[in-house]
Amino acid sequence: MTLATAFFYLFSIVTIASAVMVISARNPVHSVLFLILAFVNAAGLFLLTGAEFLAMILVVVYVGAVAVLFLFVVMMLDVDFAELKQGFLQYLPIGMLVGLIVLVELITVIGVWSVAPQAALSTPTPGHMTNVEALGRVLYTQYVYLFQAAGFVLLTAMIGAIVLTLHHRPNVRRQNIAEQNARTRASAIEVKKVPSRAGV
Amino acid sequence: MNSLSLELAHALPEAILALGAVVLLLIGAFRGRDDDGPMTELAVVVLGAALVAVVLGGHRPAGVVFDDAFIDDSFGDFMKGLSLTGSIVVLLMSGGFLRQSGVDKFEFPILVVLATLGMLMLISANGLIALYLGLELMSLSLYVVAAISRDDARASEAGLKYFVLGALSSGMLLYGASLLYGFAGSVSFAGIAAAIGGHPNMGVIFGLVFLFAGLAFKMSVVPFHMWTPDVYEGAPTPVTAFFASAPKMAAVAVSTRVIMTAFPGAVSEWQQVIVFMALASMALGSFAAINQSNIKRLMAYSSIGHMGFALVGLAAGTEAGVKGVAVYMAIYLVMTLGAFAAILSMRVNGKAVEKINDLAGLARTNPAMGFFFAMLMFSLAGVPPLAGFFAKFYVFMAAVDAKLYWLAVIGILTSAVAAFYYLRIVKVMYFDEPAPAFDRPSVTQRVVLAVSSLAMLLFWIYPAPLVDAAAAAAHSLF
């Protein structure tokens, strides 16, 4: 068994085990931590196949941003998971039934699987190029339209979030840094001559 | 690969809208004020420029650019013209209404421009990725405008409901798209058609059904219509007018393009799906609207029914059918915009009202508005010789030619049922005791109502321009 195979099994087993723990852990914070473990191990799997860029993106985006966001949400929203799970047993049979139907349907689909013969299964990695360079070449030439369109989708999402959540309240005193910096001794301090034995 | 400027020339309307939206956003941000100000007018200018680009660019030879992602043909030009017209008219009608309702945000026109950009990209999509991105751009903007009146509980509920169900439908669409890609090995419609040949396998059918589920949600056809009445009723009326007009054009256009260019080899597979949706939508649109007392809710069921009629033409799967769909959508757009111009002007002492009973006696309190609105109702019902009749005529003829006799028969029966509730509105306006009179509508509302109503009334005199344009549009898909 080569080293790569050993690592493949290591990463796979840890990924699957932590994925199971995500849904079975009692404490939601532990769930998120196991999710992070699953992401990191999936990144390891990407590394083994030579897709180092995807591996780094997975770590940066999913572990660095998404999972931490989850953690914040879980900690701050204080969701009562015990209450959420209350009706779980009650709905279990019907859920199992739906799951079973979908499973049978999917098996029917997979059963007739025939990959289109003209489809190139995977684009061969150019030997003289790094992942990033190869991705950049298609992303900004061949797929420039789709890339820009995706940019507009994100822009719209941002506008939407601002429109729906930003409240401009009147009568709120905001920090104005320029004003603060422009304060001088003359405008900020008043020197009072207090006569002795008269109080202020 | 062509140079970028050559490719952009094919996407000139989209480029105008994209740049315009960004510039408008910058203007809005640097003005430093929340109110609308001149933004609606500027947005109309941007949309108008895109409409001019679409109309003037109509003579260009068709082209597929951006590595198979984008197609520029006369079918696209026709539907883009309809979408842009819908957005422009809605913006023109909505300015005053939103200001009076206290929803005066400069982002509203910008979101309408972005949604329209999404529609144009959707109409021109020539592959699954471009389809999804266009759809998401359109939907995201629509989710936000549905909830734009965020202090109103009903509007927020409408926005949330639309968002949750819309996200679910996007998921279904993506699942179908991934299955299609897996089995066909291509994301472009032509590539999928070539891979399917004449023998679609189970996986392709699976993907096709999920893809249509996502598209049907955007068209609001049964069984993916549940959101429509609540959202139409809850959202501010200009937003409802927008929902009922422009996005429907794009959704129907892209469904037509997908069916005609990606699945010509799987006719019997997609036909049963479309026939079912058409039947169910026509039936629900006719029967469920009978008991409604809110005019916006009634228009929601009316639009579901009309989408069903349009799908009858699509179910035929022939060039005549696509022509029927194009004619139907154009006439539906004009009728809807006119009807919403009337609904927008339903104001008593500055307060918007939306019950059907508020229309009582309109023919006596405001005879012109009563007459125009009544004509639109007759047209929506499909009474000859108004335009709505010809719209139905073209799709039913196409269905008959394609030997879908019973579909056409059921369509005629349901439109007879649907005529009941349109005529009830006419009866309320002409024969009931007058309710309090409405305020004087704005100039644009009066103009839109009069023009659309007269266009429907006099369509039979000179139908050639629309029918010829629709025929040319349909021809470019075959």
Side-chain angles (χ1 to χ4, degrees):
Chain A
M1 200 155 68
T2 63
L3 197 61
T5 325
F7 270 108
F8 172 77
Y9 282 112
L10 174 71
F11 287 141
S12 316
I13 290 167
V14 178
T15 308
I16 294 171
S18 47
V20 170
M21 287 307 289
V22 171
I23 52 170
S24 60
R26 278 189 176 277
N27 187 334
V29 176
H30 293 172
S31 285
V32 178
L33 292 177
F34 276 113
L35 191 66
I36 294 176
L37 187 60
F39 283 149
V40 172
N41 280 281
L45 287 174
F46 271 129
L47 263 187
L48 286 182
T49 57
E52 71 269 7
F53 181 69
L54 283 182
M56 291 306 128
I57 283 292
L58 196 67
V59 171
V60 171
V61 175
Y62 279 87
V63 178
V66 176
V68 173
L69 196 70
F70 279 0
L71 212 50
F72 269 120
V73 170
V74 167
M75 286 176 170
M76 296 179 85
L77 287 189
D78 190 26
V79 185
D80 189 349
F81 282 90
E83 196 182 315
L84 273 183
K85 284 179 182 163
Q86 206 108 78
F88 186 69
L89 270 183
Q90 194 183 339
Y91 294 116
L92 192 63
I94 189 113
M96 296 269 276
L97 185 69
V98 172
L100 196 70
I101 293 171
V102 174
L103 184 70
V104 169
E105 284 175 343
L106 281 179
I107 288 172
T108 331
V109 174
I110 304 290
V112 296
W113 186 277
S114 65
V115 175
Q118 72 275 26
L121 264 185
S122 62
T123 311
T125 318
H128 57 281
M129 249 188 251
T130 62
N131 273 204
V132 185
E133 202 178 343
L135 276 174
R137 289 214 169 171
V138 288
L139 200 56
Y140 298 105
T141 54
Q142 208 176 345
Y143 297 122
V144 66
Y145 168 70
L146 303 172
F147 181 72
Q148 293 295 335
F152 268 96
V153 173
L154 293 178
L155 176 70
T156 310
M158 202 174 79
I159 298 174
I162 293 172
V163 169
L164 295 182
T165 55
L166 182 67
H167 283 271
H168 277 304
R169 290 172 209 280
N171 311 323
V172 175
R173 301 179 62 176
R174 289 178 197 285
Q175 186 180 26
N176 185 341
I177 293 172
E179 204 173 90
Q180 287 178 343
N181 283 340
R183 266 158 72 107
T184 59
R185 185 160 176 268
S187 68
I189 305 177
E190 193 182 350
V191 181
K192 286 257 187 186
K193 179 78 181 160
V194 182
S196 54
R197 267 175 293 174
V200 183
Chain B
M1 186 186 280
N2 302 319
S3 75
L4 187 61
S5 58
L6 273 177
E7 302 208 325
L8 268 179
H10 280 287
L12 187 60
E14 285 80 2
I16 291 175
L17 286 189
L19 275 179
V22 173
V23 170
L24 284 178
L25 192 62
L26 286 177
I27 294 177
F30 278 102
R31 267 175 77 239
R33 295 172 50 182
D34 276 354
D35 63 319
D36 184 66
M39 300 298 282
T40 300
E41 285 75 12
L42 290 175
V44 169
V45 170
V46 170
L47 291 168
L51 183 59
V52 169
V54 168
V55 172
L56 293 186
H59 311 294
R60 266 194 325 273
V64 177
V65 289
F66 296 123
D67 197 57
D68 255 9
F70 188 94
I71 183 164
D72 171 32
D73 59 1
S74 46
F75 178 74
D77 282 344
F78 186 86
M79 298 309 280
K80 282 179 194 177
L82 294 184
S83 274
L84 285 166
T85 312
S87 301
I88 291 173
V89 174
V90 166
L91 272 186
L92 283 175
M93 291 193 302
S94 66
F97 187 99
L98 288 175
R99 211 161 296 146
Q100 280 170 323
S101 319
V103 195
D104 189 21
K105 288 186 196 295
F106 77 85
E107 286 97 344
F108 177 70
I110 297 174
L111 285 167
V112 170
V113 172
L114 283 169
T116 316
L117 172 64
M119 291 169 211
L120 264 54
M121 287 165 50
L122 193 54
I123 293 171
S124 269
N126 195 37
L128 294 172
I129 304 179
L131 183 155
Y132 177 69
L133 286 172
L135 192 80
E136 277 308 292
L137 183 53
M138 176 180 100
S139 311
L140 265 177
S141 315
L142 292 182
Y143 302 146
V144 181
V145 292
I148 195 137
S149 170
R150 62 181 182 196
D151 299 326
D152 178 0
R154 273 198 318 166
S156 306
E157 185 201 332
L160 190 64
K161 199 173 258 178
Y162 187 42
F163 174 67
V164 172
L165 291 175
L168 181 70
S169 82
S170 289
M172 287 203 269
L173 186 139
L174 274 182
Y175 183 52
S178 68
L179 280 175
L180 276 176
Y181 176 57
F183 282 95
S186 168
V187 287
S188 85
F189 295 156
I192 293 172
I196 293 175
H199 310 285
N201 64 15
M202 184 74 95
V204 167
I205 299 169
F206 228 81
L208 182 153
V209 170
F210 275 96
L211 190 72
F212 283 169
L215 292 175
F217 180 87
K218 301 297 168 199
M219 290 191 282
S220 75
V221 295
V222 181
F224 301 98
H225 65 284
M226 272 80 110
W227 58 277
T228 322
D230 294 334
V231 173
Y232 274 43
E233 189 185 352
T237 314
V239 175
T240 311
F242 186 52
F243 272 52
S245 54
K248 294 267 198 286
M249 305 295 133
V252 170
V254 76
S255 308
T256 311
R257 191 189 292 285
V258 168
I259 285 176
M260 296 304 156
T261 57
F263 301 113
V267 177
S268 60
E269 281 76 15
W270 62 255
Q271 204 168 32
Q272 47 183 314
V273 178
I274 297 292
V275 165
F276 169 75
M277 286 177 178
L279 280 178
S281 306
M282 290 189 297
L284 185 109
S286 309
F287 287 102
I290 289 174
N291 253 337
Q292 302 304 326
S293 59
N294 182 304
I295 185 106
K296 280 157 80 179
R297 224 176 155 79
L298 182 129
M299 287 305 288
Y301 285 108
S302 158
S303 83
I304 293 173
H306 280 286
M307 287 304 116
F309 290 122
L311 286 189
V312 171
L314 193 53
T318 55
E319 194 176 323
V322 176
K323 176 184 147 197
V325 173
V327 172
Y328 201 100
M329 293 320 287
I331 291 176
Y332 167 79
L333 177 75
V334 179
M335 294 189 296
T336 304
L337 290 175
F340 272 99
I343 295 171
L344 277 167
S345 45
M346 286 169 64
R347 272 180 179 279
V348 179
N349 298 326
K351 207 172 167 310
V353 292
E354 47 194 48
K355 292 266 175 271
I356 291 175
N357 287 338
D358 293 319
L359 284 165
L362 186 67
R364 263 174 279 175
T365 53
N366 189 342
M369 183 176 161
F371 173 75
F372 288 140
F373 198 25
M375 285 305 118
L376 284 173
M377 286 298 131
F378 280 127
S379 182
L380 280 166
V383 175
L386 283 92
F389 166 75
F390 291 99
K392 290 199 171 85
F393 175 76
Y394 282 115
V395 291
F396 288 150
M397 281 311 286
V400 168
D401 286 343
K403 303 205 164 46
L404 295 168
Y405 301 113
W406 52 281
L407 185 60
V409 169
I410 294 178
I412 291 165
L413 288 179
T414 52
S415 64
V417 176
F420 166 75
Y421 60 81
Y422 294 121
L423 296 184
R424 182 165 72 103
I425 295 178
V426 177
K427 175 239 163 201
V428 166
M429 286 194 295
Y430 274 82
F431 300 113
D432 282 9
E433 281 308 305
F438 294 144
D439 304 346
R440 195 170 163 71
S442 75
V443 180
T444 43
Q445 284 163 3
R446 272 181 284 159
V447 170
V448 172
L449 178 60
V451 168
S452 59
S453 178
L454 289 176
M456 294 301 96
L457 195 56
L458 304 176
F459 174 76
W460 57 276
I461 296 177
Y462 191 46
L466 178 65
V467 176
D468 290 348
H475 187 68
S476 73
L477 277 188
F478 287 88

